[in-house]
Amino acid sequence: MWQQKLRENFRDLTQLLDYLEIENRTPFTNTSFPLNLPRRLAEKIEKNNLHDPLLRQFLPLTEEHKTLPGFTLDPVSDCTFQKTPTLLQKYKSRALLITTGACPMHCRYCFRQNYDYQKAEWEEELAHIQNDPTLIEIILSGGDPLSLSDRRLKELFEKLENIPHLQIVRFHTRFPIGIPERITPEFIDLIQNTRLQTIFIVHTNHPKELDPDVLASLKILPCPVLTQSVLLKGVNDNLSILKELFLKLISNGIIPYYLHQLDRVQGAGHFEVPKEHGLKLIQALRENLPGYAVPRYVQELPGEKSKTAVNQRLK
Ligand SMILES: *Cc1c(COP(=O)(O)O)cnc(C)c1O
Ligand code: SF4
Protein backbone atom coordinates (compact mmCIF):
# COMPACT_ATOMS: atom_id res chain seq x y z
CA MET A 1 0.00 0.00 0.00
CA TRP A 2 1.33 3.41 -0.96
CA GLN A 3 0.15 5.04 2.27
CA GLN A 4 2.30 2.62 4.23
CA LYS A 5 5.33 3.38 2.02
CA LEU A 6 4.76 7.08 2.62
CA ARG A 7 4.81 6.56 6.38
CA GLU A 8 8.21 4.88 6.03
CA ASN A 9 9.80 7.99 4.47
CA PHE A 10 12.98 9.35 6.02
CA ARG A 11 12.09 12.57 7.85
CA ASP A 12 14.93 12.70 10.37
CA LEU A 13 18.25 14.02 9.12
CA THR A 14 20.46 12.14 11.61
CA GLN A 15 18.72 8.86 10.82
CA LEU A 16 19.21 9.37 7.11
CA LEU A 17 22.87 10.39 7.49
CA ASP A 18 23.44 7.28 9.61
CA TYR A 19 21.73 5.16 6.98
CA LEU A 20 23.88 6.71 4.24
CA GLU A 21 27.02 6.17 6.35
CA ILE A 22 27.96 9.82 6.04
CA GLU A 23 30.58 10.80 8.58
CA ASN A 24 31.10 14.45 7.75
CA ARG A 25 27.87 16.14 8.87
CA THR A 26 28.91 19.77 8.66
CA PRO A 27 27.52 20.28 5.12
CA PHE A 28 23.99 19.40 6.34
CA THR A 29 21.38 21.28 8.35
CA ASN A 30 17.73 21.20 9.37
CA THR A 31 15.56 23.85 7.71
CA SER A 32 11.96 25.05 7.82
CA PHE A 33 11.25 23.04 4.64
CA PRO A 34 11.92 19.68 6.26
CA LEU A 35 13.62 16.59 4.96
CA ASN A 36 11.19 14.11 3.42
CA LEU A 37 12.49 11.21 1.34
CA PRO A 38 10.96 7.88 0.29
CA ARG A 39 13.00 4.77 1.12
CA ARG A 40 13.18 3.78 -2.55
CA LEU A 41 15.12 6.95 -3.36
CA ALA A 42 17.31 6.72 -0.25
CA GLU A 43 18.26 3.18 -1.24
CA LYS A 44 19.57 4.47 -4.56
CA ILE A 45 21.96 6.98 -2.96
CA GLU A 46 25.54 5.78 -2.94
CA LYS A 47 26.85 5.36 0.61
CA ASN A 48 29.04 8.17 1.93
CA ASN A 49 29.08 10.08 -1.36
CA LEU A 50 28.27 13.77 -0.90
CA HIS A 51 28.15 14.20 -4.68
CA ASP A 52 25.43 11.65 -5.32
CA PRO A 53 22.84 13.30 -7.61
CA LEU A 54 19.91 12.09 -5.52
CA LEU A 55 21.50 13.17 -2.26
CA ARG A 56 21.91 16.66 -3.69
CA GLN A 57 18.26 16.87 -4.66
CA PHE A 58 16.85 15.84 -1.31
CA LEU A 59 19.29 16.47 1.57
CA PRO A 60 19.24 19.98 3.06
CA LEU A 61 22.69 21.58 2.82
CA THR A 62 23.87 24.49 4.96
CA GLU A 63 24.28 26.35 1.65
CA GLU A 64 20.50 26.82 1.74
CA HIS A 65 20.95 29.49 4.41
CA LYS A 66 22.85 31.68 1.94
CA THR A 67 20.83 34.62 0.69
CA LEU A 68 21.66 35.73 -2.83
CA PRO A 69 20.47 38.74 -4.80
CA GLY A 70 17.60 37.78 -7.11
CA PHE A 71 16.63 34.69 -5.10
CA THR A 72 13.26 35.22 -3.43
CA LEU A 73 10.49 33.41 -1.54
CA ASP A 74 8.03 33.47 -4.48
CA PRO A 75 10.21 33.64 -7.62
CA VAL A 76 7.39 32.94 -10.08
CA SER A 77 4.92 35.40 -8.50
CA ASP A 78 2.33 32.72 -7.79
CA CYS A 79 0.65 35.11 -5.36
CA THR A 80 -0.13 37.65 -8.08
CA PHE A 81 -2.00 35.11 -10.17
CA GLN A 82 -4.33 33.62 -7.59
CA LYS A 83 -7.92 33.63 -8.82
CA THR A 84 -8.90 32.07 -5.51
CA PRO A 85 -6.58 30.83 -2.71
CA THR A 86 -5.92 27.57 -4.58
CA LEU A 87 -6.55 28.37 -8.26
CA LEU A 88 -3.73 30.00 -10.24
CA GLN A 89 -4.15 31.24 -13.76
CA LYS A 90 -1.25 32.73 -15.68
CA TYR A 91 -2.07 31.57 -19.19
CA LYS A 92 -5.17 31.45 -21.38
CA SER A 93 -7.30 28.29 -21.58
CA ARG A 94 -5.63 26.50 -18.65
CA ALA A 95 -5.58 27.03 -14.90
CA LEU A 96 -3.71 25.29 -12.14
CA LEU A 97 -5.38 23.93 -9.04
CA ILE A 98 -3.21 23.66 -5.94
CA THR A 99 -4.86 20.48 -4.71
CA THR A 100 -2.75 19.91 -1.60
CA GLY A 101 0.47 21.03 0.06
CA ALA A 102 1.56 17.46 0.68
CA CYS A 103 4.39 15.88 -1.28
CA PRO A 104 5.85 12.36 -1.24
CA MET A 105 9.32 13.94 -1.16
CA HIS A 106 10.80 17.37 -0.60
CA CYS A 107 13.01 18.62 -3.43
CA ARG A 108 15.39 21.25 -2.11
CA TYR A 109 14.99 23.55 -5.13
CA CYS A 110 11.16 23.50 -5.08
CA PHE A 111 9.89 26.94 -6.12
CA ARG A 112 6.68 26.40 -4.18
CA GLN A 113 8.34 25.51 -0.87
CA ASN A 114 7.12 28.75 0.74
CA TYR A 115 3.58 28.69 -0.65
CA ASP A 116 0.86 29.33 1.89
CA TYR A 117 -1.15 26.14 1.25
CA GLN A 118 -4.81 26.38 2.23
CA LYS A 119 -6.94 23.35 2.87
CA ALA A 120 -9.91 23.66 0.56
CA GLU A 121 -12.92 21.76 -0.65
CA TRP A 122 -12.50 23.65 -3.95
CA GLU A 123 -16.02 25.09 -3.93
CA GLU A 124 -14.89 28.57 -4.81
CA GLU A 125 -12.43 27.17 -7.35
CA LEU A 126 -15.03 24.99 -9.07
CA ALA A 127 -17.44 27.92 -9.23
CA HIS A 128 -14.75 30.02 -10.85
CA ILE A 129 -13.95 27.30 -13.41
CA GLN A 130 -17.64 26.82 -14.11
CA ASN A 131 -18.04 30.53 -14.82
CA ASP A 132 -15.11 30.76 -17.22
CA PRO A 133 -15.90 29.00 -20.50
CA THR A 134 -12.47 29.88 -21.91
CA LEU A 135 -10.91 27.23 -19.65
CA ILE A 136 -10.46 23.90 -21.39
CA GLU A 137 -7.87 22.37 -19.10
CA ILE A 138 -7.32 22.08 -15.36
CA ILE A 139 -3.85 21.21 -14.13
CA LEU A 140 -3.80 19.36 -10.84
CA SER A 141 -0.71 20.46 -9.00
CA GLY A 142 0.38 21.21 -5.47
CA GLY A 143 2.21 19.92 -3.61
CA ASP A 144 1.58 16.64 -5.35
CA PRO A 145 -1.97 15.86 -6.49
CA LEU A 146 -1.35 12.12 -6.05
CA SER A 147 -1.04 12.76 -2.31
CA LEU A 148 -4.85 12.84 -2.41
CA SER A 149 -6.59 9.51 -1.99
CA ASP A 150 -8.21 7.86 -4.99
CA ARG A 151 -11.56 8.57 -3.36
CA ARG A 152 -10.90 12.31 -3.15
CA LEU A 153 -9.56 12.39 -6.71
CA LYS A 154 -12.69 10.63 -7.87
CA GLU A 155 -14.88 13.22 -6.14
CA LEU A 156 -12.88 16.00 -7.77
CA PHE A 157 -13.09 14.36 -11.22
CA GLU A 158 -16.86 14.00 -10.86
CA LYS A 159 -17.16 17.72 -10.26
CA LEU A 160 -14.83 18.62 -13.12
CA GLU A 161 -16.67 16.27 -15.50
CA ASN A 162 -19.83 18.24 -14.89
CA ILE A 163 -18.30 21.41 -16.25
CA PRO A 164 -19.10 21.13 -19.96
CA HIS A 165 -16.32 23.34 -21.37
CA LEU A 166 -13.55 21.35 -19.66
CA GLN A 167 -11.82 18.78 -21.88
CA ILE A 168 -8.53 17.94 -20.22
CA VAL A 169 -7.22 17.18 -16.76
CA ARG A 170 -3.47 17.30 -16.41
CA PHE A 171 -1.47 15.88 -13.51
CA HIS A 172 1.81 17.47 -12.50
CA THR A 173 3.33 14.88 -10.20
CA ARG A 174 6.56 13.40 -8.89
CA PHE A 175 4.87 10.71 -6.80
CA PRO A 176 5.62 7.57 -8.87
CA ILE A 177 9.35 8.40 -8.82
CA GLY A 178 9.42 7.82 -5.07
CA ILE A 179 6.43 5.53 -4.58
CA PRO A 180 5.36 3.79 -7.81
CA GLU A 181 2.78 1.82 -5.79
CA ARG A 182 0.70 5.03 -5.95
CA ILE A 183 -0.45 4.04 -9.45
CA THR A 184 -3.24 1.83 -8.12
CA PRO A 185 -5.85 -0.10 -10.10
CA GLU A 186 -8.40 2.39 -8.71
CA PHE A 187 -6.45 5.32 -10.12
CA ILE A 188 -6.15 3.63 -13.52
CA ASP A 189 -9.85 2.98 -13.38
CA LEU A 190 -10.56 6.61 -12.63
CA ILE A 191 -8.70 8.00 -15.63
CA GLN A 192 -10.01 5.26 -17.88
CA ASN A 193 -13.62 5.95 -17.05
CA THR A 194 -13.95 9.67 -17.39
CA ARG A 195 -14.96 11.73 -20.38
CA LEU A 196 -12.01 14.04 -19.63
CA GLN A 197 -8.72 13.40 -21.41
CA THR A 198 -5.97 12.87 -18.85
CA ILE A 199 -2.40 14.02 -19.48
CA PHE A 200 0.26 12.88 -17.05
CA ILE A 201 3.40 14.95 -16.54
CA VAL A 202 6.04 13.43 -14.30
CA HIS A 203 8.85 15.42 -12.74
CA THR A 204 12.15 13.53 -13.07
CA ASN A 205 15.71 14.82 -13.19
CA HIS A 206 18.09 11.90 -13.25
CA PRO A 207 18.17 8.43 -14.85
CA LYS A 208 18.78 6.85 -11.43
CA GLU A 209 15.23 7.85 -10.50
CA LEU A 210 13.85 5.54 -13.21
CA ASP A 211 14.11 1.92 -12.08
CA PRO A 212 12.07 -0.92 -13.61
CA ASP A 213 9.26 -0.59 -11.03
CA VAL A 214 8.92 3.14 -11.61
CA LEU A 215 8.88 2.67 -15.38
CA ALA A 216 6.39 -0.19 -15.11
CA SER A 217 4.02 2.00 -13.09
CA LEU A 218 4.15 4.69 -15.76
CA LYS A 219 3.71 2.17 -18.55
CA ILE A 220 0.31 1.03 -17.31
CA LEU A 221 -1.15 4.54 -17.39
CA PRO A 222 -3.82 4.66 -20.10
CA CYS A 223 -2.98 8.23 -21.15
CA PRO A 224 -0.09 10.20 -22.63
CA VAL A 225 2.87 10.41 -20.25
CA LEU A 226 5.33 13.29 -20.54
CA THR A 227 8.02 14.62 -18.24
CA GLN A 228 9.42 17.82 -16.91
CA SER A 229 12.91 18.19 -15.49
CA VAL A 230 14.82 20.99 -13.82
CA LEU A 231 18.37 21.71 -14.92
CA LEU A 232 20.34 21.38 -11.66
CA LYS A 233 24.02 21.93 -10.98
CA GLY A 234 25.70 18.81 -9.65
CA VAL A 235 22.66 16.69 -10.56
CA ASN A 236 22.09 16.68 -14.31
CA ASP A 237 24.09 19.55 -15.80
CA ASN A 238 26.08 17.40 -18.19
CA LEU A 239 25.48 15.89 -21.59
CA SER A 240 25.92 12.22 -20.74
CA ILE A 241 23.41 12.32 -17.84
CA LEU A 242 20.77 14.24 -19.80
CA LYS A 243 21.27 11.98 -22.81
CA GLU A 244 20.84 8.89 -20.65
CA LEU A 245 17.74 10.38 -18.98
CA PHE A 246 15.95 11.31 -22.20
CA LEU A 247 16.91 8.09 -23.99
CA LYS A 248 15.59 6.05 -21.10
CA LEU A 249 12.34 8.00 -21.21
CA ILE A 250 11.71 7.70 -24.94
CA SER A 251 12.67 4.04 -25.01
CA ASN A 252 9.89 3.57 -22.47
CA GLY A 253 7.36 5.54 -24.49
CA ILE A 254 7.58 8.69 -22.36
CA ILE A 255 8.07 12.07 -24.03
CA PRO A 256 10.37 14.69 -22.45
CA TYR A 257 8.29 17.89 -22.43
CA TYR A 258 10.09 20.64 -20.54
CA LEU A 259 13.59 21.22 -19.21
CA HIS A 260 13.23 24.13 -16.79
CA GLN A 261 15.79 26.72 -15.98
CA LEU A 262 15.86 26.89 -12.16
CA ASP A 263 13.30 29.21 -10.60
CA ARG A 264 15.27 31.49 -8.29
CA VAL A 265 13.79 30.48 -4.97
CA GLN A 266 15.65 31.54 -1.84
CA GLY A 267 18.12 28.90 -0.70
CA ALA A 268 18.53 27.20 -4.09
CA GLY A 269 21.37 29.32 -5.47
CA HIS A 270 23.81 26.42 -5.42
CA PHE A 271 21.65 24.60 -7.99
CA GLU A 272 21.73 27.29 -10.66
CA VAL A 273 23.27 26.45 -14.04
CA PRO A 274 24.19 29.39 -16.30
CA LYS A 275 21.86 29.66 -19.29
CA GLU A 276 24.83 29.67 -21.67
CA HIS A 277 25.71 26.19 -20.42
CA GLY A 278 22.07 25.05 -20.64
CA LEU A 279 21.90 26.22 -24.24
CA LYS A 280 25.07 24.33 -25.11
CA LEU A 281 23.64 21.17 -23.56
CA ILE A 282 20.40 21.50 -25.50
CA GLN A 283 22.28 22.03 -28.76
CA ALA A 284 24.41 18.95 -28.11
CA LEU A 285 21.29 16.93 -27.24
CA ARG A 286 19.69 17.96 -30.54
CA GLU A 287 22.73 16.67 -32.38
CA ASN A 288 22.68 13.37 -30.47
CA LEU A 289 19.04 12.38 -30.07
CA PRO A 290 15.85 12.19 -32.14
CA GLY A 291 14.10 15.54 -32.16
CA TYR A 292 11.19 14.31 -30.03
CA ALA A 293 13.60 13.23 -27.28
CA VAL A 294 14.83 16.76 -26.66
CA PRO A 295 12.59 18.77 -24.32
CA ARG A 296 11.88 22.50 -24.64
CA TYR A 297 14.32 24.45 -22.52
CA VAL A 298 12.18 27.09 -20.83
CA GLN A 299 11.97 29.48 -17.98
CA GLU A 300 9.08 30.99 -16.12
CA LEU A 301 9.08 34.76 -16.39
CA PRO A 302 6.30 36.31 -14.30
CA GLY A 303 3.93 38.31 -16.48
CA GLU A 304 4.66 36.41 -19.70
CA LYS A 305 1.74 34.76 -21.49
CA SER A 306 3.40 31.33 -21.64
CA LYS A 307 6.61 29.68 -20.55
CA THR A 308 9.49 31.41 -22.30
CA ALA A 309 12.06 29.56 -24.41
CA VAL A 310 15.58 30.16 -23.16
CA ASN A 311 17.55 31.54 -26.08
CA GLN A 312 20.65 33.59 -26.83
CA ARG A 313 18.73 36.82 -26.31
CA LEU A 314 17.90 35.86 -22.72
CA LYS A 315 21.47 35.24 -21.67
C1 LIG B 1 3.65 26.04 -16.24
C2 LIG B 1 2.27 26.46 -15.92
C3 LIG B 1 1.20 26.03 -16.72
C4 LIG B 1 1.37 25.09 -17.87
O1 LIG B 1 1.99 25.62 -18.96
P1 LIG B 1 2.06 24.77 -20.32
O2 LIG B 1 3.00 25.53 -21.16
O3 LIG B 1 0.68 24.66 -20.85
O4 LIG B 1 2.59 23.43 -19.95
C5 LIG B 1 -0.06 26.49 -16.43
N1 LIG B 1 -0.28 27.32 -15.39
C6 LIG B 1 0.73 27.76 -14.61
C7 LIG B 1 0.42 28.69 -13.50
C8 LIG B 1 2.03 27.34 -14.84
O5 LIG B 1 3.02 27.75 -14.04
S1 SF4 C 1 7.54 17.02 -5.63
FE1 SF4 C 1 7.24 18.96 -6.76
S2 SF4 C 1 5.96 20.24 -5.42
FE2 SF4 C 1 6.83 18.58 -4.17
S3 SF4 C 1 8.71 19.39 -3.29
FE3 SF4 C 1 9.29 18.34 -5.18
S4 SF4 C 1 9.26 19.99 -6.75
FE4 SF4 C 1 8.09 20.75 -4.97
Side-chain angles (χ1 to χ4, degrees):
M1 281 278 276
W2 64 271
Q3 290 93 341
Q4 180 56 34
K5 295 273 171 199
L6 201 55
R7 281 192 287 273
E8 290 167 6
N9 274 12
F10 278 103
R11 293 170 199 275
D12 181 90
L13 185 58
T14 310
Q15 260 180 26
L16 179 56
L17 293 173
D18 284 346
Y19 172 80
L20 295 175
E21 298 168 16
I22 290 171
E23 279 142 39
N24 177 9
R25 307 210 160 179
T26 43
F28 303 97
T29 181
N30 282 304
T31 62
S32 54
F33 180 51
L35 169 81
N36 184 16
L37 183 65
R39 294 268 156 181
R40 168 179 296 271
L41 286 165
E43 282 162 12
K44 294 178 183 178
I45 298 176
E46 197 187 315
K47 296 283 191 283
N48 199 20
N49 176 6
L50 301 190
H51 301 290
D52 185 282
L54 296 183
L55 176 144
R56 292 191 68 80
Q57 288 185 70
F58 301 110
L59 266 72
L61 297 173
T62 42
E63 276 165 288
E64 290 186 22
H65 294 308
K66 249 192 243 164
T67 52
L68 286 172
F71 284 76
T72 60
L73 292 174
D74 179 15
V76 298
S77 298
D78 272 344
C79 293
T80 325
F81 296 94
Q82 284 172 324
K83 296 282 170 186
T84 77
T86 69
L87 189 73
L88 306 181
Q89 188 178 4
K90 292 187 180 173
Y91 311 142
K92 285 180 188 159
S93 82
R94 52 224 196 269
L96 190 149
L97 189 62
I98 307 279
T99 53
T100 167
C103 275
M105 64 194 83
H106 285 170
C107 315
R108 305 317 304 170
Y109 50 85
C110 177
F111 69 85
R112 218 169 262 149
Q113 59 184 271
N114 307 301
Y115 194 84
D116 179 20
Y117 291 103
Q118 306 280 332
K119 187 142 177 61
E121 291 302 316
W122 310 306
E123 270 171 39
E124 201 186 339
E125 289 66 28
L126 289 159
H128 183 93
I129 299 165
Q130 176 89 47
N131 289 328
D132 183 353
T134 67
L135 288 173
I136 59 160
E137 179 182 30
I138 295 301
I139 301 169
L140 306 184
S141 183
D144 197 309
L146 289 182
S147 300
L148 301 176
S149 66
D150 288 325
R151 187 182 50 78
R152 283 208 81 200
L153 284 173
K154 188 159 193 280
E155 287 164 9
L156 179 58
F157 263 68
E158 279 164 4
K159 290 179 179 146
L160 294 172
E161 275 167 359
N162 285 334
I163 301 177
H165 49 266
L166 282 188
Q167 296 172 38
I168 302 161
V169 174
R170 183 188 334 180
F171 283 84
H172 278 182
T173 177
R174 192 148 164 63
F175 217 114
I177 299 297
I179 304 180
E181 296 83 352
R182 178 63 192 89
I183 308 302
T184 58
E186 291 75 21
F187 179 71
I188 301 282
D189 217 52
L190 171 66
I191 58 178
Q192 220 156 23
N193 294 299
T194 166
R195 71 164 185 88
L196 298 163
Q197 172 66 51
T198 303
I199 307 279
F200 207 82
I201 302 195
V202 187
H203 170 181
T204 179
N205 301 325
H206 195 280
K208 267 173 93 170
E209 296 171 19
L210 304 167
D211 63 64
D213 292 342
V214 168
L215 290 165
S217 78
L218 299 176
K219 217 158 225 174
I220 57 173
L221 287 165
C223 66
V225 181
L226 297 84
T227 59
Q228 45 185 344
S229 310
V230 185
L231 186 58
L232 297 167
K233 189 165 153 190
V235 175
N236 59 11
D237 58 336
N238 74 71
L239 182 59
S240 66
I241 294 294
L242 287 178
K243 207 173 128 184
E244 190 186 336
L245 173 64
F246 300 139
L247 256 177
K248 203 162 182 181
L249 289 169
I250 52 163
S251 33
N252 283 280
I254 301 167
I255 307 290
Y257 177 41
Y258 278 145
L259 177 66
H260 295 275
Q261 178 68 14
L262 181 80
D263 294 314
R264 299 182 119 188
V265 68
Q266 196 171 301
H270 54 289
F271 283 116
E272 191 167 56
V273 178
K275 287 177 206 161
E276 294 83 344
H277 186 58
L279 285 165
K280 279 194 192 124
L281 289 170
I282 284 290
Q283 184 52 34
L285 286 166
R286 284 204 190 103
E287 292 166 12
N288 277 279
L289 292 177
Y292 56 78
V294 183
R296 298 155 220 204
Y297 180 31
V298 294
Q299 67 186 135
E300 171 104 13
L301 299 176
E304 292 296 320
K305 293 186 168 80
S306 68
K307 304 264 187 276
T308 306
V310 178
N311 60 35
Q312 304 296 339
R313 191 169 51 83
L314 288 167
K315 273 198 298 200

